[in-house]
Amino acid sequence: MRDSDCIFCKLANGEIPTATLYEDNDFRVILDTNPAAKGHALIIPKEHYRNLYDLEDDLAAKVLVLAKKMVNTLRVILGCTGYNIVQNNEEPAGQTVFHFHLHLIPRYDNDHVGLGWHMHELTDEERDEILSKVRFQ
């Protein structure tokens, strides 16, 4: 299903012109118009999913395979030395457009691109609490 008010639905389906790097039946990969680094791209599904929580499992699997394909191609073209693959879910995590998308951010030596979180040490109490509650079947 598509959302007629969603700008990313319009980008993914060609209703708004983009610098398209790749397209198939499920996704469009475009250059980000506000890149964190030269060559920053977005993988956007053509159907509307608010975020990863709502993405169908088969598309979740396909998006990672596509990300691998794209970064392996783009790193040669761009000459970058690394990649960040970033996906935000909901506002506290930095999501500003509520249509699932995956950022492919090329990294270059000394580029000073930051991702914005501060590390802390995992305490024994946090570890034990999480482990006691998480049991996957």
Side-chain angles (χ1 to χ4, degrees):
M1 181 169 58
R2 296 183 184 145
D3 180 340
S4 62
D5 295 325
C6 175
I7 191 167
F8 272 32
C9 281
K10 293 175 183 177
L11 291 168
N13 290 287
E15 295 172 42
I16 296 174
T18 63
T20 299
L21 299 171
Y22 174 86
E23 181 177 11
D24 63 23
N25 290 335
D26 298 312
F27 302 99
R28 184 180 295 250
V29 182
I30 66 172
L31 289 175
D32 194 313
T33 57
N34 295 297
K38 177 184 171 186
H40 179 168
L42 302 173
I43 299 177
I44 309 171
K46 292 183 174 182
E47 296 297 322
H48 186 81
Y49 301 92
R50 180 177 173 89
N51 52 39
L52 183 62
Y53 309 143
D54 297 336
L55 193 64
E56 295 174 4
D57 288 350
D58 66 323
L59 282 178
K62 287 180 182 180
V63 76
L64 193 55
V65 171
L66 179 53
K68 178 183 176 187
K69 176 181 180 175
M70 294 304 302
V71 299
N72 278 325
T73 299
L74 290 171
R75 69 186 175 98
V76 174
I77 293 166
L78 297 169
C80 59
T81 52
Y83 253 94
N84 288 119
I85 298 174
V86 178
Q87 199 279 311
N88 304 314
N89 295 286
E90 296 300 335
E91 196 171 330
Q95 186 178 12
T96 58
V97 176
F98 295 91
H99 179 118
F100 173 89
H101 56 287
L102 192 68
H103 293 264
L104 307 176
I105 304 172
R107 299 304 302 269
Y108 304 89
D109 292 336
N110 302 310
D111 65 11
H112 305 291
V113 173
L115 294 180
W117 66 73
H118 301 284
M119 307 298 252
H120 78 279
E121 187 173 327
L122 177 66
T123 67
D124 291 345
E125 292 80 20
E126 285 178 323
R127 180 201 62 219
D128 293 346
E129 176 190 358
I130 294 166
L131 289 175
S132 73
K133 293 178 181 177
V134 176
R135 296 290 181 249
F136 288 100
Q137 301 297 325

